[in-house]
Amino acid sequence: MRSINISILIAVLVISTGYPTLGAEWTQEQKEIWSVVQASWEANKNGDIESTMACRHDKVLSLFSDNPSPYNKDQIRIENEYWLYSDHRPTSYNIAPIAIGIIDNVAIVFYWYKWESYLTGYTEKGRSMNAFIRLNNQWVTIGTMDASCEKPAPRPYGSNESIF
C-alpha cells in the first residue's frame, strides 16, 4: 500500500509541475538526456562496459531492485561485468519514457524498461529513475533506482523491521 501511495505522489508531482510526459512535446534538452539513457542501454546490450561506465559520475550510487543497498561506481562495474558476461546478458530491450524533468544542470528521468536474454529466456521488466548532472557540457549519471515489476526489493542489510 505504501508503494502505491509513493507512486501516486510522484505522479501528482510530475503532473503538477508541468513536466512533459509520454506523448507530450519535449524540449531539446529533454531529447538530449533521453538519448543518453538510450545510449547507455545500447552500450549494455553490446557489452561495451567502458562506454556504460564513462557516463557515470565517480560518486554515483545505484539501487537495483534485487539488492537491498546501493552500489558505488566500482560495485556497479563489477555487477555490469558479471551481468554482461553471464547467460543473462540482454539480447534485446525496450525502454519508454514516463517523465523527464530538468532544473538547471540536474535532470531526473523516469522510464519503463523490459529486457530479454535469448540465451536463457530470462526476461525482466520494471521502472527506473535516473538522476543526471551536467558537467563539462556532458550529462553524467549521479544516481539510479530500478524497481522490478516481478520481484519486490529486499529490505536493507541489517534491517529486521518490515516497512510494510
Side-chain angles (χ1 to χ4, degrees), residues 79-147:
E79 184 72 13
N80 278 347
E81 288 171 349
Y82 170 77
W83 188 53
L84 292 174
Y85 296 116
S86 73
D87 288 342
H88 285 329
R89 179 178 176 181
T91 50
S92 70
Y93 67 89
N94 288 308
I95 55 175
I98 299 170
I100 299 173
I102 300 173
I103 302 169
D104 298 325
N105 67 333
V106 175
I108 303 293
V109 180
F110 294 94
Y111 65 93
W112 297 102
Y113 66 86
K114 178 181 179 183
W115 63 269
E116 299 178 62
S117 172
Y118 295 125
L119 299 173
T120 60
Y122 183 83
T123 299
E124 184 171 321
K125 56 185 172 178
R127 296 174 293 177
S128 188
M129 185 279 304
N130 289 213
F132 295 85
I133 190 166
R134 185 186 287 272
L135 296 174
N136 301 321
N137 211 24
Q138 177 185 358
W139 289 106
V140 293
T141 307
I142 56 174
T144 69
M145 182 172 175
D146 294 330

